[in-house]
Amino acid sequence: MADFHALTRRVEGLEFLGIEEIEFDPDEDFHVVDTRKGREGEPRMDRRLGGRLYLSMPDVTALRQLLSLWERWQRGEKMPTGFTPWRDIFASLRDIRPWGPADRLSEDTISCWREEIENDPNEMRRIEVEMWFRGSEGNRSAAFRRVAGVVFDIGGAVVDHSVIEEIGYEAALIDVPATEISRLVNREEVHLVLCDDIMFLRPQSSTDVPEPGDGLEPALHYPDDEPAALPPVAALLDGVPVQNHVLLDGRLEMDDPDGLEAMSVVAERYHGTAMASLILHGDRNVTTSALSRSLYVRPVLYAPGNGIREEPRRDRLMIDVIYRAVKRIKEGDEEGDATAPEVFLVNLSVADSRRPFGGPMSPWARLLDYLAEFYGILFLVSAGNVARPLRIDAFESWTEFEDANPEDRASGVLLALSDQKAFRTLLSPAEALNPITVGAMHDDAVTGPRGAGAVDPYEARDLPNVSSSQGLGHRKVVKPDILLPGGREHLRFQASGSALVVVPESGGRSGLKAASPDVAGNLDRTRLTMGTSAATAMATRTAHLIFDALMDGDGGSMHADLDADFRAVVVKAMLVHRANWGSRAAFLESLYGPHGRGKHVERRDNIARLLGHGFPDIEESLDCAPNRATLVGYGTIEAGESNVHRIPLPPSLEHVTEPRALTVTVAWFSPINPRHQAYRRAKLEVSALRDLKETAGVSRSSGQPSDKSVPRGTVSHTRYDGDEAVAFVDEGHVVFRVHCREQAGVLDQSIRYGIVVTIEAGEGIPVYDEIRARLAVPVVAET
């Protein structure tokens, strides 16, 4: 009973068998516990898996003991000594059973396959098989042989196979007859679904690439400067761009080992061309300069032509393509050394439209988390676009919607988004912990008419586009992290009756202007593009500009010698640092529930699903101001350690009732443990050593994620404000402590982090000069 008793001790004392408290071990056999419902006020853990909790059992004997206890409880018998807590756990359960055929197929998968076979029932179907990962290579080989044998027996074939040990992943891409898919859709117990080596059967990953927008026109001006002869620090993993477009010519370092350029129709290379243009030049409707360095481009999508949007090769597992691409950039491969070792920013403006987030971390998200921490890479990841219709119960007709006043229209749309949040979740890999996930802000610089028959859902710019996927992330991590302009997306009518149903407008006269291919072969054309892809490209550009500003010693930067090992975490912190919920924060607080005493955490979580940490003020991230000073620091820390950062205050703020604000952002990359439900190995806690109201005259601001939400991820971002007159202490410093705790098992390595602090006050207070005078060196960590 020793092993099973150890499992019992893990959950002893829990009020409810909480998902967030249960460990799991993919290297052992899994078994599943079905719950009657999720936690009050929240969607079930995984709507596609029916609200299930997973327990790892040490062995078959332990499973039998658990089932024996369950049967004993069902008969109303007393629990054995030491196992009484299971009585309360069992009271919350409907059934306990081993993992089986019903668990390998989600309802989303069945729905997708049903639609496919209705459209074309006579073809072979390509699907993904995710296998239970085994730590032993011998056991993995044996398991794969069994799966391959099952595939062969049903008349199928294995197309691709991948093992990524670092994240506990093994999968195969297989072809199976459509008749077999039909039987799976009908939930017949065919060989594939009965194979114990298989964890999930899924449709092949499908990238989320929006269609190109309108407004094809010549570029009005071309850049005449050449990029500096410095190695690229940013990479784009996307479609094949038009390399000799006037906005891209001489600015790309192409690396195409898979030969996707030769497979791509030039006139339809929309997405890769647009993303490269936005990173290098920004929105062409706004006057900006080109980045100082070239952009490394590794195509992972190609343009097959005939109007088919850019897509990955269908004979490869997309996760394996990304894994090999990043390893090639940082380490090299069988063809040679690292192709771009200086790269620490990687843009990923693609998402798996068939893998909406529902609780467990997807393999693709686990991969990005691992690569980010291992190589020190800041991935900028698209939250994904949700194209599905939106039912708006506040309106019964399109006319009523069109004629509504802007406040009522916005309220109806935002309430509809909240009501349907379980069906508009992040698309893999956007739930990843270490990357910055980017949503689409309802903003662009387009002037003039937007097109007939479409309605702008909001007047405000600081709200998300309707199609921008919603958080939260794993264990309620604040996701998306930030929102950047993704076009003023309009809505079109689809249906009416008891409620109005609308759809986001695709294409149209909204968006960001970027380079575009042209069927006539012109190499100077631009067009509009929109969505979270465009917003993510703008985030990568912003991160690059932040890095350039840090490296600008001649321009006054004190961080031109920033250690390369800390570039990614410092830029990550700075990218989020000037983010806020904007002018509509109070409106959302009043609109979204729940209200009442003790409900602010849940209410703020519901807002954070849409806004994350908010909308970064890019100008403030890059520019100085007389009444504002930003301090940048970095350090390393190990489990159980604390680092102290002393931040000098401007003397002019002492003993005066002048409005002031203090913003503190800490960012890091955590190693992960896919074998543990907590997943994140390193938790950094940020706290002031003294009450900030007493030492600086500020308190935690409203209009931001709650203090309970902020510590969940790998960015801690908090703003304080106030105007109280106080006497400074600690020689005129505020002191922040960064403490490291291990989660998800033993943390046996140091963690790199970046810290950014901004102090600002009203006009006329010389904050910048006074703090600079007090600083002899950049802020560093004290152990």
PDB file of all heavy atoms in Angstrom, residues 671-700:
ATOM      1  N   PRO A 671      12.084  27.249 -16.285  1.00  0.00           N
ATOM      2  CA  PRO A 671      12.122  25.870 -16.764  1.00  0.00           C
ATOM      3  C   PRO A 671      10.784  25.200 -16.452  1.00  0.00           C
ATOM      4  O   PRO A 671      10.054  25.643 -15.552  1.00  0.00           O
ATOM      5  CB  PRO A 671      13.271  25.228 -15.989  1.00  0.00           C
ATOM      6  CG  PRO A 671      13.525  26.130 -14.830  1.00  0.00           C
ATOM      7  CD  PRO A 671      13.034  27.490 -15.189  1.00  0.00           C
ATOM      8  N   ILE A 672      10.449  24.174 -17.194  1.00  0.00           N
ATOM      9  CA  ILE A 672       9.146  23.531 -17.034  1.00  0.00           C
ATOM     10  C   ILE A 672       9.307  22.075 -16.648  1.00  0.00           C
ATOM     11  O   ILE A 672      10.353  21.466 -16.861  1.00  0.00           O
ATOM     12  CB  ILE A 672       8.313  23.629 -18.328  1.00  0.00           C
ATOM     13  CG1 ILE A 672       9.034  22.926 -19.486  1.00  0.00           C
ATOM     14  CG2 ILE A 672       8.019  25.093 -18.660  1.00  0.00           C
ATOM     15  CD1 ILE A 672       8.180  22.740 -20.732  1.00  0.00           C
ATOM     16  N   ASN A 673       8.251  21.541 -16.078  1.00  0.00           N
ATOM     17  CA  ASN A 673       8.176  20.118 -15.767  1.00  0.00           C
ATOM     18  C   ASN A 673       6.859  19.585 -16.319  1.00  0.00           C
ATOM     19  O   ASN A 673       5.819  19.676 -15.658  1.00  0.00           O
ATOM     20  CB  ASN A 673       8.251  19.883 -14.259  1.00  0.00           C
ATOM     21  CG  ASN A 673       8.229  18.408 -13.901  1.00  0.00           C
ATOM     22  OD1 ASN A 673       8.162  17.547 -14.777  1.00  0.00           O
ATOM     23  ND2 ASN A 673       8.271  18.105 -12.613  1.00  0.00           N
ATOM     24  N   PRO A 674       6.858  19.055 -17.544  1.00  0.00           N
ATOM     25  CA  PRO A 674       5.611  18.541 -18.130  1.00  0.00           C
ATOM     26  C   PRO A 674       5.018  17.374 -17.352  1.00  0.00           C
ATOM     27  O   PRO A 674       3.864  17.018 -17.556  1.00  0.00           O
ATOM     28  CB  PRO A 674       6.044  18.095 -19.541  1.00  0.00           C
ATOM     29  CG  PRO A 674       7.325  18.796 -19.807  1.00  0.00           C
ATOM     30  CD  PRO A 674       7.988  18.930 -18.472  1.00  0.00           C
ATOM     31  N   ARG A 675       5.806  16.788 -16.436  1.00  0.00           N
ATOM     32  CA  ARG A 675       5.338  15.655 -15.641  1.00  0.00           C
ATOM     33  C   ARG A 675       4.557  16.092 -14.407  1.00  0.00           C
ATOM     34  O   ARG A 675       4.119  15.252 -13.625  1.00  0.00           O
ATOM     35  CB  ARG A 675       6.545  14.814 -15.200  1.00  0.00           C
ATOM     36  CG  ARG A 675       7.357  14.243 -16.346  1.00  0.00           C
ATOM     37  CD  ARG A 675       8.781  13.889 -15.890  1.00  0.00           C
ATOM     38  NE  ARG A 675       8.792  12.949 -14.785  1.00  0.00           N
ATOM     39  CZ  ARG A 675       8.875  11.631 -14.931  1.00  0.00           C
ATOM     40  NH1 ARG A 675       8.949  11.107 -16.140  1.00  0.00           N
ATOM     41  NH2 ARG A 675       8.882  10.852 -13.880  1.00  0.00           N
ATOM     42  N   HIS A 676       4.397  17.383 -14.224  1.00  0.00           N
ATOM     43  CA  HIS A 676       3.794  17.912 -13.004  1.00  0.00           C
ATOM     44  C   HIS A 676       2.692  18.884 -13.390  1.00  0.00           C
ATOM     45  O   HIS A 676       2.855  19.696 -14.288  1.00  0.00           O
ATOM     46  CB  HIS A 676       4.879  18.625 -12.189  1.00  0.00           C
ATOM     47  CG  HIS A 676       4.523  18.889 -10.763  1.00  0.00           C
ATOM     48  ND1 HIS A 676       3.520  19.751 -10.384  1.00  0.00           N
ATOM     49  CD2 HIS A 676       5.055  18.405  -9.606  1.00  0.00           C
ATOM     50  CE1 HIS A 676       3.448  19.801  -9.073  1.00  0.00           C
ATOM     51  NE2 HIS A 676       4.371  18.993  -8.567  1.00  0.00           N
ATOM     52  N   GLN A 677       1.561  18.818 -12.670  1.00  0.00           N
ATOM     53  CA  GLN A 677       0.448  19.694 -13.006  1.00  0.00           C
ATOM     54  C   GLN A 677       0.788  21.168 -12.799  1.00  0.00           C
ATOM     55  O   GLN A 677       0.299  22.033 -13.518  1.00  0.00           O
ATOM     56  CB  GLN A 677      -0.787  19.324 -12.168  1.00  0.00           C
ATOM     57  CG  GLN A 677      -2.031  20.129 -12.493  1.00  0.00           C
ATOM     58  CD  GLN A 677      -2.574  19.848 -13.881  1.00  0.00           C
ATOM     59  OE1 GLN A 677      -2.251  18.819 -14.455  1.00  0.00           O
ATOM     60  NE2 GLN A 677      -3.382  20.740 -14.402  1.00  0.00           N
ATOM     61  N   ALA A 678       1.659  21.498 -11.843  1.00  0.00           N
ATOM     62  CA  ALA A 678       2.045  22.893 -11.637  1.00  0.00           C
ATOM     63  C   ALA A 678       2.832  23.434 -12.819  1.00  0.00           C
ATOM     64  O   ALA A 678       2.794  24.623 -13.100  1.00  0.00           O
ATOM     65  CB  ALA A 678       2.847  23.041 -10.348  1.00  0.00           C
ATOM     66  N   TYR A 679       3.592  22.564 -13.495  1.00  0.00           N
ATOM     67  CA  TYR A 679       4.258  22.846 -14.771  1.00  0.00           C
ATOM     68  C   TYR A 679       5.423  23.826 -14.626  1.00  0.00           C
ATOM     69  O   TYR A 679       6.527  23.538 -15.022  1.00  0.00           O
ATOM     70  CB  TYR A 679       3.229  23.390 -15.765  1.00  0.00           C
ATOM     71  CG  TYR A 679       3.742  23.625 -17.156  1.00  0.00           C
ATOM     72  CD1 TYR A 679       4.065  22.565 -17.989  1.00  0.00           C
ATOM     73  CD2 TYR A 679       3.904  24.916 -17.653  1.00  0.00           C
ATOM     74  CE1 TYR A 679       4.519  22.778 -19.288  1.00  0.00           C
ATOM     75  CE2 TYR A 679       4.364  25.139 -18.936  1.00  0.00           C
ATOM     76  CZ  TYR A 679       4.668  24.068 -19.745  1.00  0.00           C
ATOM     77  OH  TYR A 679       5.120  24.279 -21.022  1.00  0.00           O
ATOM     78  N   ARG A 680       5.199  24.978 -14.048  1.00  0.00           N
ATOM     79  CA  ARG A 680       6.220  26.018 -13.900  1.00  0.00           C
ATOM     80  C   ARG A 680       7.148  25.658 -12.746  1.00  0.00           C
ATOM     81  O   ARG A 680       6.719  25.522 -11.609  1.00  0.00           O
ATOM     82  CB  ARG A 680       5.544  27.366 -13.641  1.00  0.00           C
ATOM     83  CG  ARG A 680       6.492  28.524 -13.418  1.00  0.00           C
ATOM     84  CD  ARG A 680       5.752  29.813 -13.079  1.00  0.00           C
ATOM     85  NE  ARG A 680       5.036  29.740 -11.804  1.00  0.00           N
ATOM     86  CZ  ARG A 680       4.467  30.775 -11.204  1.00  0.00           C
ATOM     87  NH1 ARG A 680       4.509  31.965 -11.777  1.00  0.00           N
ATOM     88  NH2 ARG A 680       3.837  30.630 -10.054  1.00  0.00           N
ATOM     89  N   ARG A 681       8.449  25.579 -13.023  1.00  0.00           N
ATOM     90  CA  ARG A 681       9.397  25.215 -11.968  1.00  0.00           C
ATOM     91  C   ARG A 681       9.790  26.406 -11.103  1.00  0.00           C
ATOM     92  O   ARG A 681      10.068  26.238  -9.911  1.00  0.00           O
ATOM     93  CB  ARG A 681      10.665  24.620 -12.588  1.00  0.00           C
ATOM     94  CG  ARG A 681      10.525  23.192 -13.095  1.00  0.00           C
ATOM     95  CD  ARG A 681      11.891  22.649 -13.483  1.00  0.00           C
ATOM     96  NE  ARG A 681      11.829  21.299 -14.033  1.00  0.00           N
ATOM     97  CZ  ARG A 681      11.866  20.185 -13.314  1.00  0.00           C
ATOM     98  NH1 ARG A 681      11.939  20.271 -11.993  1.00  0.00           N
ATOM     99  NH2 ARG A 681      11.817  19.005 -13.892  1.00  0.00           N
ATOM    100  N   ALA A 682       9.846  27.602 -11.700  1.00  0.00           N
ATOM    101  CA  ALA A 682      10.362  28.755 -10.970  1.00  0.00           C
ATOM    102  C   ALA A 682       9.288  29.824 -10.828  1.00  0.00           C
ATOM    103  O   ALA A 682       8.794  30.354 -11.820  1.00  0.00           O
ATOM    104  CB  ALA A 682      11.582  29.335 -11.679  1.00  0.00           C
ATOM    105  N   LYS A 683       8.935  30.143  -9.600  1.00  0.00           N
ATOM    106  CA  LYS A 683       8.017  31.228  -9.304  1.00  0.00           C
ATOM    107  C   LYS A 683       8.800  32.368  -8.669  1.00  0.00           C
ATOM    108  O   LYS A 683       9.440  32.181  -7.635  1.00  0.00           O
ATOM    109  CB  LYS A 683       6.924  30.755  -8.344  1.00  0.00           C
ATOM    110  CG  LYS A 683       5.959  31.854  -7.923  1.00  0.00           C
ATOM    111  CD  LYS A 683       4.935  31.344  -6.912  1.00  0.00           C
ATOM    112  CE  LYS A 683       3.967  32.443  -6.506  1.00  0.00           C
ATOM    113  NZ  LYS A 683       2.971  31.962  -5.509  1.00  0.00           N
ATOM    114  N   LEU A 684       8.748  33.550  -9.271  1.00  0.00           N
ATOM    115  CA  LEU A 684       9.380  34.726  -8.686  1.00  0.00           C
ATOM    116  C   LEU A 684       8.310  35.606  -8.068  1.00  0.00           C
ATOM    117  O   LEU A 684       7.311  35.933  -8.713  1.00  0.00           O
ATOM    118  CB  LEU A 684      10.163  35.522  -9.738  1.00  0.00           C
ATOM    119  CG  LEU A 684      11.317  34.811 -10.451  1.00  0.00           C
ATOM    120  CD1 LEU A 684      12.203  35.828 -11.178  1.00  0.00           C
ATOM    121  CD2 LEU A 684      12.146  33.976  -9.503  1.00  0.00           C
ATOM    122  N   GLU A 685       8.529  35.969  -6.829  1.00  0.00           N
ATOM    123  CA  GLU A 685       7.597  36.829  -6.096  1.00  0.00           C
ATOM    124  C   GLU A 685       8.244  38.198  -5.919  1.00  0.00           C
ATOM    125  O   GLU A 685       9.390  38.301  -5.466  1.00  0.00           O
ATOM    126  CB  GLU A 685       7.272  36.220  -4.740  1.00  0.00           C
ATOM    127  CG  GLU A 685       6.600  34.863  -4.845  1.00  0.00           C
ATOM    128  CD  GLU A 685       6.460  34.162  -3.515  1.00  0.00           C
ATOM    129  OE1 GLU A 685       7.249  34.489  -2.589  1.00  0.00           O
ATOM    130  OE2 GLU A 685       5.586  33.299  -3.391  1.00  0.00           O
ATOM    131  N   VAL A 686       7.511  39.240  -6.247  1.00  0.00           N
ATOM    132  CA  VAL A 686       8.022  40.609  -6.188  1.00  0.00           C
ATOM    133  C   VAL A 686       7.240  41.363  -5.126  1.00  0.00           C
ATOM    134  O   VAL A 686       6.002  41.420  -5.173  1.00  0.00           O
ATOM    135  CB  VAL A 686       7.886  41.307  -7.551  1.00  0.00           C
ATOM    136  CG1 VAL A 686       8.513  42.697  -7.503  1.00  0.00           C
ATOM    137  CG2 VAL A 686       8.533  40.470  -8.655  1.00  0.00           C
ATOM    138  N   SER A 687       7.929  41.959  -4.173  1.00  0.00           N
ATOM    139  CA  SER A 687       7.242  42.673  -3.094  1.00  0.00           C
ATOM    140  C   SER A 687       8.093  43.832  -2.607  1.00  0.00           C
ATOM    141  O   SER A 687       9.327  43.802  -2.703  1.00  0.00           O
ATOM    142  CB  SER A 687       6.937  41.726  -1.930  1.00  0.00           C
ATOM    143  OG  SER A 687       8.144  41.171  -1.412  1.00  0.00           O
ATOM    144  N   ALA A 688       7.424  44.872  -2.109  1.00  0.00           N
ATOM    145  CA  ALA A 688       8.122  45.993  -1.480  1.00  0.00           C
ATOM    146  C   ALA A 688       8.428  45.624  -0.035  1.00  0.00           C
ATOM    147  O   ALA A 688       7.597  45.031   0.662  1.00  0.00           O
ATOM    148  CB  ALA A 688       7.263  47.246  -1.545  1.00  0.00           C
ATOM    149  N   LEU A 689       9.630  45.960   0.430  1.00  0.00           N
ATOM    150  CA  LEU A 689      10.008  45.625   1.806  1.00  0.00           C
ATOM    151  C   LEU A 689       9.263  46.479   2.824  1.00  0.00           C
ATOM    152  O   LEU A 689       9.111  46.085   3.973  1.00  0.00           O
ATOM    153  CB  LEU A 689      11.519  45.782   1.992  1.00  0.00           C
ATOM    154  CG  LEU A 689      12.399  44.758   1.259  1.00  0.00           C
ATOM    155  CD1 LEU A 689      13.842  44.875   1.728  1.00  0.00           C
ATOM    156  CD2 LEU A 689      11.894  43.331   1.493  1.00  0.00           C
ATOM    157  N   ARG A 690       8.824  47.674   2.415  1.00  0.00           N
ATOM    158  CA  ARG A 690       8.024  48.532   3.283  1.00  0.00           C
ATOM    159  C   ARG A 690       6.754  48.929   2.545  1.00  0.00           C
ATOM    160  O   ARG A 690       6.710  48.916   1.314  1.00  0.00           O
ATOM    161  CB  ARG A 690       8.797  49.789   3.687  1.00  0.00           C
ATOM    162  CG  ARG A 690       9.987  49.556   4.608  1.00  0.00           C
ATOM    163  CD  ARG A 690      10.723  50.873   4.815  1.00  0.00           C
ATOM    164  NE  ARG A 690      11.888  50.728   5.687  1.00  0.00           N
ATOM    165  CZ  ARG A 690      11.928  51.088   6.951  1.00  0.00           C
ATOM    166  NH1 ARG A 690      10.849  51.617   7.516  1.00  0.00           N
ATOM    167  NH2 ARG A 690      13.026  50.945   7.665  1.00  0.00           N
ATOM    168  N   ASP A 691       5.754  49.310   3.285  1.00  0.00           N
ATOM    169  CA  ASP A 691       4.496  49.765   2.701  1.00  0.00           C
ATOM    170  C   ASP A 691       4.761  50.970   1.805  1.00  0.00           C
ATOM    171  O   ASP A 691       5.264  52.015   2.265  1.00  0.00           O
ATOM    172  CB  ASP A 691       3.529  50.145   3.821  1.00  0.00           C
ATOM    173  CG  ASP A 691       2.135  50.470   3.304  1.00  0.00           C
ATOM    174  OD1 ASP A 691       1.989  50.769   2.103  1.00  0.00           O
ATOM    175  OD2 ASP A 691       1.188  50.425   4.116  1.00  0.00           O
ATOM    176  N   LEU A 692       4.428  50.862   0.520  1.00  0.00           N
ATOM    177  CA  LEU A 692       4.716  51.926  -0.429  1.00  0.00           C
ATOM    178  C   LEU A 692       3.904  53.185  -0.153  1.00  0.00           C
ATOM    179  O   LEU A 692       4.307  54.291  -0.538  1.00  0.00           O
ATOM    180  CB  LEU A 692       4.462  51.444  -1.858  1.00  0.00           C
ATOM    181  CG  LEU A 692       5.453  50.413  -2.392  1.00  0.00           C
ATOM    182  CD1 LEU A 692       5.034  49.935  -3.781  1.00  0.00           C
ATOM    183  CD2 LEU A 692       6.861  50.985  -2.442  1.00  0.00           C
ATOM    184  N   LYS A 693       2.764  53.041   0.504  1.00  0.00           N
ATOM    185  CA  LYS A 693       1.983  54.226   0.838  1.00  0.00           C
ATOM    186  C   LYS A 693       2.732  55.084   1.857  1.00  0.00           C
ATOM    187  O   LYS A 693       2.669  56.328   1.826  1.00  0.00           O
ATOM    188  CB  LYS A 693       0.621  53.818   1.390  1.00  0.00           C
ATOM    189  CG  LYS A 693      -0.350  54.979   1.552  1.00  0.00           C
ATOM    190  CD  LYS A 693      -1.738  54.483   1.882  1.00  0.00           C
ATOM    191  CE  LYS A 693      -2.723  55.641   1.947  1.00  0.00           C
ATOM    192  NZ  LYS A 693      -4.113  55.180   2.237  1.00  0.00           N
ATOM    193  N   GLU A 694       3.476  54.423   2.725  1.00  0.00           N
ATOM    194  CA  GLU A 694       4.213  55.146   3.748  1.00  0.00           C
ATOM    195  C   GLU A 694       5.559  55.641   3.235  1.00  0.00           C
ATOM    196  O   GLU A 694       6.047  56.685   3.672  1.00  0.00           O
ATOM    197  CB  GLU A 694       4.427  54.256   4.968  1.00  0.00           C
ATOM    198  CG  GLU A 694       3.135  53.829   5.657  1.00  0.00           C
ATOM    199  CD  GLU A 694       3.390  52.880   6.811  1.00  0.00           C
ATOM    200  OE1 GLU A 694       4.572  52.546   7.056  1.00  0.00           O
ATOM    201  OE2 GLU A 694       2.414  52.475   7.474  1.00  0.00           O
ATOM    202  N   THR A 695       6.167  54.906   2.319  1.00  0.00           N
ATOM    203  CA  THR A 695       7.522  55.258   1.879  1.00  0.00           C
ATOM    204  C   THR A 695       7.556  56.076   0.603  1.00  0.00           C
ATOM    205  O   THR A 695       8.545  56.764   0.337  1.00  0.00           O
ATOM    206  CB  THR A 695       8.350  53.976   1.661  1.00  0.00           C
ATOM    207  OG1 THR A 695       7.700  53.156   0.679  1.00  0.00           O
ATOM    208  CG2 THR A 695       8.495  53.196   2.957  1.00  0.00           C
ATOM    209  N   ALA A 696       6.494  55.986  -0.221  1.00  0.00           N
ATOM    210  CA  ALA A 696       6.510  56.718  -1.493  1.00  0.00           C
ATOM    211  C   ALA A 696       5.201  57.442  -1.767  1.00  0.00           C
ATOM    212  O   ALA A 696       5.088  58.139  -2.774  1.00  0.00           O
ATOM    213  CB  ALA A 696       6.816  55.758  -2.643  1.00  0.00           C
ATOM    214  N   GLY A 697       4.187  57.255  -0.918  1.00  0.00           N
ATOM    215  CA  GLY A 697       2.918  57.936  -1.105  1.00  0.00           C
ATOM    216  C   GLY A 697       2.064  57.350  -2.209  1.00  0.00           C
ATOM    217  O   GLY A 697       1.239  58.053  -2.803  1.00  0.00           O
ATOM    218  N   VAL A 698       2.237  56.046  -2.503  1.00  0.00           N
ATOM    219  CA  VAL A 698       1.474  55.408  -3.581  1.00  0.00           C
ATOM    220  C   VAL A 698       0.842  54.111  -3.090  1.00  0.00           C
ATOM    221  O   VAL A 698       1.345  53.466  -2.155  1.00  0.00           O
ATOM    222  CB  VAL A 698       2.364  55.105  -4.812  1.00  0.00           C
ATOM    223  CG1 VAL A 698       2.861  56.387  -5.450  1.00  0.00           C
ATOM    224  CG2 VAL A 698       3.543  54.193  -4.438  1.00  0.00           C
ATOM    225  N   SER A 699      -0.261  53.727  -3.738  1.00  0.00           N
ATOM    226  CA  SER A 699      -0.942  52.460  -3.472  1.00  0.00           C
ATOM    227  C   SER A 699      -1.207  51.774  -4.803  1.00  0.00           C
ATOM    228  O   SER A 699      -1.148  52.401  -5.873  1.00  0.00           O
ATOM    229  CB  SER A 699      -2.266  52.695  -2.735  1.00  0.00           C
ATOM    230  OG  SER A 699      -2.066  53.395  -1.534  1.00  0.00           O
ATOM    231  N   ARG A 700      -1.547  50.507  -4.717  1.00  0.00           N
ATOM    232  CA  ARG A 700      -1.803  49.746  -5.947  1.00  0.00           C
ATOM    233  C   ARG A 700      -2.950  50.379  -6.732  1.00  0.00           C
ATOM    234  O   ARG A 700      -4.012  50.651  -6.189  1.00  0.00           O
ATOM    235  CB  ARG A 700      -2.134  48.290  -5.609  1.00  0.00           C
ATOM    236  CG  ARG A 700      -1.967  47.334  -6.769  1.00  0.00           C
ATOM    237  CD  ARG A 700      -2.175  45.888  -6.320  1.00  0.00           C
ATOM    238  NE  ARG A 700      -1.700  44.964  -7.334  1.00  0.00           N
ATOM    239  CZ  ARG A 700      -2.375  44.629  -8.412  1.00  0.00           C
ATOM    240  NH1 ARG A 700      -3.574  45.135  -8.614  1.00  0.00           N
ATOM    241  NH2 ARG A 700      -1.877  43.780  -9.286  1.00  0.00           N
TER     242      ARG A 700
END
